[in-house]
Amino acid sequence: MMAAATLGNSSMSNAHERFVVLAKSAPGLAVTMVIDQALSAPDLFVFSELLELPNIQQLASTQAEISLRMLQIFAYGTYSDYKNLSGAPVLKPEHLCNEHFSGSEQ
């Protein structure tokens, strides 16, 4: 049983590392594609390290700010935050789970 848990954690860690590396190397607005992929990844549940990257923070006050806001919501927000975000993309039901929204509001 412990091996399965370790394997699961390893898979999550690999996905996390993969997206951080991709985001660090994505120039300009190309980082929005990495954000979209990260938010859609079924094995990624931690987004705070992505938020700390300078090229992602630079999306503020650009036409791609919605990507930054979505990442912030997945990292720290609630379902209500998502519903209240003007222009938010429609998410598939599997993306609207407890693991993706840090708040308990559903």
Side-chain angles (χ1 to χ4, degrees), residues 27-33 35 54-70 72 85-87:
L29 296 179
V31 75
T32 61
M33 290 186 288
I35 293 171
N55 59 335
I56 289 181
Q57 287 300 311
Q58 291 173 354
L59 295 175
S61 300
T62 70
Q63 72 266 22
E65 185 173 16
I66 191 77
S67 294
L68 173 61
R69 289 288 303 129
M70 285 294 293
Q72 290 169 332
L85 181 61
S86 177

Side-chain angles (χ1 to χ4, degrees), residues 41-94:
D43 54 349
L44 186 62
F45 303 103
V46 178
F47 302 95
S48 56
E49 191 172 351
L50 287 170
L51 276 171
E52 294 172 2
L53 297 175
N55 59 335
I56 289 181
Q57 287 300 311
Q58 291 173 354
L59 295 175
S61 300
T62 70
Q63 72 266 22
E65 185 173 16
I66 191 77
S67 294
L68 173 61
R69 289 288 303 129
M70 285 294 293
L71 192 57
Q72 290 169 332
I73 289 170
F74 269 63
Y76 307 115
T78 65
Y79 182 61
S80 290
D81 295 331
Y82 164 72
K83 289 191 315 184
N84 293 327
L85 181 61
S86 177
V90 176
L91 297 175
K92 297 178 184 175
E94 59 267 23

